Amino acid sequence: MQTIMTIFKDYGGSGYFSILFLLALIYLGFTEEDRRIKTLFVYIPAVILILFFLPPFYILYNRLDEGTYYRILWLLPMTIVIAYAGCRIIGRHVKAGVLLGCLVLIISGNYVYNSQHITPAENLYHLPQETIEICDLIRPAEGEERVWALFPAEQVHFVRQYTTTIQMPFGRDNLVESWDRIIHPLYTLLQQEVIPAEELSELSIESECHYIILLKSMKIDGNLKDYGIVQIGETENYLVYRNTPVEFYEYGN
Protein backbone atom coordinates (compact mmCIF):
# COMPACT_ATOMS: atom_id res chain seq x y z
CA MET A 1 0.00 0.00 0.00
CA GLN A 2 2.89 2.31 0.74
CA THR A 3 4.19 1.85 -2.81
CA ILE A 4 0.78 2.76 -4.23
CA MET A 5 0.62 5.91 -2.11
CA THR A 6 4.13 6.88 -3.23
CA ILE A 7 3.15 6.51 -6.89
CA PHE A 8 0.05 8.65 -6.32
CA LYS A 9 2.04 11.35 -4.51
CA ASP A 10 4.75 11.42 -7.19
CA TYR A 11 2.12 11.69 -9.91
CA GLY A 12 0.39 14.57 -8.12
CA GLY A 13 3.54 16.64 -7.74
CA SER A 14 2.88 19.42 -5.24
CA GLY A 15 -0.47 17.79 -4.41
CA TYR A 16 -2.68 20.78 -5.20
CA PHE A 17 -3.98 19.32 -8.45
CA SER A 18 -4.88 16.00 -6.80
CA ILE A 19 -6.66 17.78 -3.94
CA LEU A 20 -8.64 19.93 -6.39
CA PHE A 21 -9.63 16.82 -8.33
CA LEU A 22 -10.85 14.98 -5.22
CA LEU A 23 -12.79 18.06 -4.04
CA ALA A 24 -14.34 18.39 -7.50
CA LEU A 25 -15.41 14.74 -7.42
CA ILE A 26 -17.07 15.21 -4.03
CA TYR A 27 -18.78 18.43 -5.11
CA LEU A 28 -20.15 16.93 -8.31
CA GLY A 29 -21.17 13.79 -6.45
CA PHE A 30 -23.56 15.84 -4.31
CA THR A 31 -24.68 18.49 -6.81
CA GLU A 32 -24.67 17.03 -10.34
CA GLU A 33 -28.13 15.93 -11.48
CA ASP A 34 -27.43 14.82 -15.05
CA ARG A 35 -26.82 11.06 -14.85
CA ARG A 36 -24.69 10.93 -18.00
CA ILE A 37 -22.35 13.65 -16.79
CA LYS A 38 -22.27 12.17 -13.33
CA THR A 39 -21.32 8.79 -14.76
CA LEU A 40 -18.45 10.25 -16.80
CA PHE A 41 -17.17 12.76 -14.24
CA VAL A 42 -17.87 11.02 -10.93
CA TYR A 43 -18.65 7.31 -11.09
CA ILE A 44 -16.04 6.20 -13.62
CA PRO A 45 -13.16 8.24 -12.06
CA ALA A 46 -14.21 6.99 -8.61
CA VAL A 47 -14.07 3.36 -9.77
CA ILE A 48 -10.63 3.92 -11.36
CA LEU A 49 -9.34 5.47 -8.12
CA ILE A 50 -10.70 2.61 -6.03
CA LEU A 51 -9.06 0.04 -8.30
CA PHE A 52 -5.81 2.00 -8.23
CA PHE A 53 -5.61 1.88 -4.45
CA LEU A 54 -6.46 -1.84 -4.19
CA PRO A 55 -3.27 -3.87 -3.48
CA PRO A 56 -4.58 -6.99 -5.31
CA PHE A 57 -5.14 -4.90 -8.46
CA TYR A 58 -1.62 -3.48 -8.12
CA ILE A 59 -0.14 -6.98 -7.86
CA LEU A 60 -2.12 -8.22 -10.86
CA TYR A 61 -1.17 -5.20 -12.98
CA ASN A 62 2.55 -5.55 -12.20
CA ARG A 63 2.48 -9.16 -13.33
CA LEU A 64 1.26 -7.98 -16.72
CA ASP A 65 3.32 -4.79 -17.09
CA GLU A 66 5.75 -4.02 -14.29
CA GLY A 67 6.84 -0.44 -13.69
CA THR A 68 4.01 1.43 -15.43
CA TYR A 69 1.33 1.41 -12.72
CA TYR A 70 1.21 5.22 -12.72
CA ARG A 71 -0.38 5.06 -16.16
CA ILE A 72 -3.64 4.00 -14.53
CA LEU A 73 -3.89 7.60 -13.36
CA TRP A 74 -3.76 8.76 -16.98
CA LEU A 75 -7.32 7.46 -17.28
CA LEU A 76 -8.57 10.07 -14.79
CA PRO A 77 -10.07 13.15 -16.53
CA MET A 78 -8.64 15.44 -13.86
CA THR A 79 -8.50 18.65 -15.87
CA ILE A 80 -12.03 18.28 -17.28
CA VAL A 81 -13.56 17.40 -13.92
CA ILE A 82 -11.88 20.34 -12.15
CA ALA A 83 -12.85 22.77 -14.93
CA TYR A 84 -16.46 21.55 -15.02
CA ALA A 85 -16.83 21.74 -11.25
CA GLY A 86 -15.33 25.24 -11.26
CA CYS A 87 -17.77 26.40 -13.93
CA ARG A 88 -20.67 24.94 -11.95
CA ILE A 89 -19.61 26.79 -8.81
CA ILE A 90 -19.12 30.10 -10.65
CA GLY A 91 -22.42 29.63 -12.48
CA ARG A 92 -24.32 29.20 -9.22
CA HIS A 93 -22.34 31.62 -7.06
CA VAL A 94 -20.66 34.16 -9.34
CA LYS A 95 -18.88 36.41 -6.85
CA ALA A 96 -17.92 33.67 -4.41
CA GLY A 97 -16.91 31.38 -7.28
CA VAL A 98 -14.64 33.96 -8.91
CA LEU A 99 -13.00 34.79 -5.57
CA LEU A 100 -12.53 31.08 -4.84
CA GLY A 101 -11.01 30.53 -8.29
CA CYS A 102 -8.57 33.41 -7.79
CA LEU A 103 -7.64 32.07 -4.37
CA VAL A 104 -6.99 28.60 -5.79
CA LEU A 105 -4.76 30.06 -8.52
CA ILE A 106 -2.78 32.14 -6.01
CA ILE A 107 -2.24 29.23 -3.64
CA SER A 108 -1.58 26.43 -6.12
CA GLY A 109 -0.22 28.26 -9.17
CA ASN A 110 3.35 29.02 -10.17
CA TYR A 111 4.78 31.93 -12.13
CA VAL A 112 6.01 29.91 -15.11
CA TYR A 113 8.35 32.61 -16.39
CA ASN A 114 10.58 32.09 -13.36
CA SER A 115 11.35 28.56 -14.57
CA GLN A 116 14.81 27.85 -15.95
CA HIS A 117 13.11 26.00 -18.79
CA ILE A 118 11.29 29.11 -20.05
CA THR A 119 13.14 31.57 -22.27
CA PRO A 120 11.86 34.42 -24.47
CA ALA A 121 11.10 33.32 -28.03
CA GLU A 122 13.70 34.51 -30.56
CA ASN A 123 11.34 34.25 -33.53
CA LEU A 124 7.87 33.17 -34.64
CA TYR A 125 9.00 29.54 -34.83
CA HIS A 126 9.98 29.49 -31.14
CA LEU A 127 13.28 27.92 -32.18
CA PRO A 128 16.88 29.08 -31.73
CA GLN A 129 17.61 31.73 -34.33
CA GLU A 130 20.95 30.10 -35.14
CA THR A 131 19.15 26.92 -36.18
CA ILE A 132 17.02 28.85 -38.65
CA GLU A 133 20.02 30.75 -40.04
CA ILE A 134 21.96 27.52 -40.62
CA CYS A 135 19.02 25.70 -42.17
CA ASP A 136 18.25 28.63 -44.50
CA LEU A 137 21.87 28.60 -45.62
CA ILE A 138 22.09 24.91 -46.50
CA ARG A 139 18.59 23.69 -47.29
CA PRO A 140 17.80 22.96 -50.96
CA ALA A 141 15.70 25.23 -53.10
CA GLU A 142 12.13 24.25 -53.91
CA GLY A 143 12.10 21.30 -56.31
CA GLU A 144 15.62 20.16 -55.45
CA GLU A 145 16.49 16.93 -53.68
CA ARG A 146 16.90 16.92 -49.92
CA VAL A 147 20.39 17.26 -48.46
CA TRP A 148 22.16 15.52 -45.60
CA ALA A 149 23.82 17.52 -42.84
CA LEU A 150 25.73 16.62 -39.70
CA PHE A 151 24.58 18.74 -36.76
CA PRO A 152 25.80 18.75 -33.15
CA ALA A 153 23.44 16.78 -30.91
CA GLU A 154 21.88 19.83 -29.25
CA GLN A 155 20.59 21.05 -32.64
CA VAL A 156 18.97 17.82 -33.85
CA HIS A 157 15.53 18.42 -32.28
CA PHE A 158 15.27 21.96 -33.62
CA VAL A 159 16.30 21.16 -37.19
CA ARG A 160 13.58 18.55 -37.55
CA GLN A 161 10.97 21.00 -36.22
CA TYR A 162 11.98 23.66 -38.74
CA THR A 163 12.35 21.72 -41.98
CA THR A 164 12.11 18.22 -43.45
CA THR A 165 14.32 19.06 -46.43
CA ILE A 166 17.45 18.48 -44.35
CA GLN A 167 18.20 14.91 -43.33
CA MET A 168 20.61 13.98 -40.55
CA PRO A 169 22.71 10.84 -39.98
CA PHE A 170 21.43 10.45 -36.40
CA GLY A 171 18.32 11.67 -34.64
CA ARG A 172 16.56 11.72 -31.31
CA ASP A 173 17.03 7.98 -30.87
CA ASN A 174 20.74 8.58 -30.18
CA LEU A 175 19.99 11.25 -27.58
CA VAL A 176 17.71 9.28 -25.24
CA GLU A 177 19.79 6.97 -23.06
CA SER A 178 16.85 4.85 -21.90
CA TRP A 179 15.99 3.80 -25.48
CA ASP A 180 17.40 0.66 -27.06
CA ARG A 181 19.28 1.93 -30.09
CA ILE A 182 22.44 1.66 -32.13
CA ILE A 183 24.68 4.66 -31.55
CA HIS A 184 25.80 6.27 -34.80
CA PRO A 185 29.61 6.60 -35.04
CA LEU A 186 29.29 10.29 -35.99
CA TYR A 187 27.39 10.96 -32.76
CA THR A 188 30.16 9.25 -30.79
CA LEU A 189 32.80 11.21 -32.69
CA LEU A 190 31.21 14.58 -31.88
CA GLN A 191 31.30 13.76 -28.16
CA GLN A 192 35.09 13.62 -28.15
CA GLU A 193 37.12 16.52 -26.75
CA VAL A 194 39.31 16.57 -29.87
CA ILE A 195 37.85 15.50 -33.22
CA PRO A 196 40.26 13.95 -35.75
CA ALA A 197 39.73 15.69 -39.11
CA GLU A 198 40.48 12.51 -41.08
CA GLU A 199 37.97 10.41 -39.16
CA LEU A 200 35.34 13.15 -39.44
CA SER A 201 35.87 13.23 -43.19
CA GLU A 202 35.68 9.45 -43.59
CA LEU A 203 32.51 9.04 -41.53
CA SER A 204 30.75 12.04 -43.06
CA ILE A 205 31.49 10.77 -46.58
CA GLU A 206 30.29 7.31 -45.60
CA SER A 207 27.02 8.86 -44.34
CA GLU A 208 26.83 11.07 -47.46
CA CYS A 209 26.67 14.31 -45.49
CA HIS A 210 26.73 17.30 -47.82
CA TYR A 211 27.21 19.71 -44.92
CA ILE A 212 28.91 19.63 -41.53
CA ILE A 213 28.00 22.02 -38.72
CA LEU A 214 30.39 22.28 -35.79
CA LEU A 215 30.52 24.34 -32.62
CA LYS A 216 33.22 26.98 -32.72
CA SER A 217 34.46 25.64 -29.40
CA MET A 218 35.13 22.17 -30.88
CA LYS A 219 38.80 21.30 -31.21
CA ILE A 220 39.87 19.73 -34.51
CA ASP A 221 43.00 17.64 -34.92
CA GLY A 222 44.12 18.41 -38.45
CA ASN A 223 43.11 20.75 -41.25
CA LEU A 224 39.58 20.23 -42.55
CA LYS A 225 40.47 21.87 -45.90
CA ASP A 226 42.87 19.01 -46.60
CA TYR A 227 39.83 16.72 -46.75
CA GLY A 228 37.62 18.96 -48.85
CA ILE A 229 35.63 20.33 -45.91
CA VAL A 230 35.30 24.04 -46.70
CA GLN A 231 33.71 26.69 -44.50
CA ILE A 232 30.81 28.47 -46.22
CA GLY A 233 29.27 30.37 -43.32
CA GLU A 234 29.03 30.90 -39.59
CA THR A 235 26.70 32.04 -36.83
CA GLU A 236 27.44 33.26 -33.34
CA ASN A 237 28.34 29.79 -32.04
CA TYR A 238 28.60 27.53 -35.09
CA LEU A 239 30.69 27.07 -38.23
CA VAL A 240 29.01 25.73 -41.38
CA TYR A 241 31.08 23.59 -43.79
CA ARG A 242 30.43 22.19 -47.24
CA ASN A 243 31.67 18.61 -47.49
CA THR A 244 32.78 18.81 -51.13
CA PRO A 245 33.60 15.08 -51.65
CA VAL A 246 29.88 14.34 -51.30
CA GLU A 247 28.03 15.37 -54.44
CA PHE A 248 24.46 16.64 -54.45
CA TYR A 249 21.73 14.35 -55.70
CA GLU A 250 20.40 15.03 -59.13
CA TYR A 251 16.69 15.76 -59.10
CA GLY A 252 14.61 12.75 -60.04
CA ASN A 253 17.39 10.20 -59.43
Side-chain angles (χ1 to χ4, degrees):
M1 190 64 185
Q2 183 177 356
T3 302
I4 297 175
M5 290 301 299
T6 300
I7 294 173
F8 186 76
K9 289 179 180 178
D10 291 342
Y11 182 82
S14 63
Y16 289 115
F17 202 68
S18 299
I19 293 172
L20 285 175
F21 175 65
L22 295 175
L23 291 175
L25 278 183
I26 295 172
Y27 174 76
L28 294 177
F30 284 105
T31 62
E32 183 56 53
E33 298 177 355
D34 190 316
R35 291 185 178 181
R36 293 173 300 177
I37 294 178
K38 200 168 187 177
T39 298
L40 289 173
F41 289 176
V42 180
Y43 295 146
I44 294 178
V47 170
I48 294 173
L49 273 177
I50 291 172
L51 288 174
F52 178 82
F53 284 106
L54 287 177
F57 184 76
Y58 170 75
I59 295 172
L60 177 62
Y61 183 96
N62 270 346
R63 288 181 179 177
L64 299 174
D65 191 7
E66 186 176 359
T68 61
Y69 195 64
Y70 62 91
R71 293 181 179 176
I72 297 295
L73 297 173
W74 292 0
L75 300 174
L76 296 174
M78 289 187 172
T79 305
I80 299 175
V81 170
I82 294 172
Y84 181 74
C87 290
R88 286 293 303 272
I89 293 174
I90 294 175
R92 292 185 175 185
H93 315 282
V94 178
K95 292 183 179 180
V98 171
L99 289 175
L100 179 62
C102 292
L103 182 62
V104 168
L105 290 175
I106 293 172
I107 295 175
S108 62
N110 293 312
Y111 187 63
V112 296
Y113 294 105
N114 284 336
S115 171
Q116 60 177 341
H117 304 294
I118 301 294
T119 56
E122 298 181 43
N123 47 64
L124 293 176
Y125 296 98
H126 288 239
L127 296 172
Q129 185 60 34
E130 285 188 282
T131 304
I132 295 175
E133 292 174 5
I134 295 171
C135 289
D136 287 345
L137 176 63
I138 68 175
R139 68 176 180 175
E142 185 175 353
E144 294 182 350
E145 289 289 339
R146 290 186 293 180
V147 298
W148 286 80
L150 172 62
F151 279 85
E154 72 274 4
Q155 286 287 331
V156 169
H157 296 84
F158 304 127
V159 174
R160 181 53 61 240
Q161 292 178 63
Y162 182 62
T163 179
T164 60
T165 62
I166 298 174
Q167 301 180 108
M168 295 172 285
F170 61 83
R172 183 167 175 247
D173 55 332
N174 275 230
L175 310 182
V176 182
E177 294 184 359
S178 61
W179 289 3
D180 293 330
R181 79 282 198 216
I182 298 176
I183 301 297
H184 197 285
L186 277 171
Y187 174 81
T188 303
L189 181 66
L190 293 185
Q191 308 312 306
Q192 299 180 16
E193 292 186 5
V194 180
I195 301 174
E198 183 178 3
E199 186 177 356
L200 176 63
S201 174
E202 291 175 354
L203 291 177
S204 61
I205 293 174
E206 183 180 326
S207 297
E208 297 185 343
C209 292
H210 303 95
Y211 297 99
I212 298 174
I213 292 83
L214 300 175
L215 277 165
K216 290 182 177 179
S217 60
M218 287 181 173
K219 298 179 180 179
I220 307 296
D221 181 14
N223 192 337
L224 294 177
K225 288 185 179 180
D226 294 340
Y227 302 94
I229 302 175
V230 182
Q231 183 180 335
I232 61 171
E234 67 178 294
T235 62
E236 181 180 354
N237 297 295
Y238 296 90
L239 297 174
V240 182
Y241 296 91
R242 167 74 176 98
N243 193 18
T244 57
V246 180
E247 297 181 358
F248 292 107
Y249 303 122
E250 292 185 10
Y251 183 69
N253 294 335

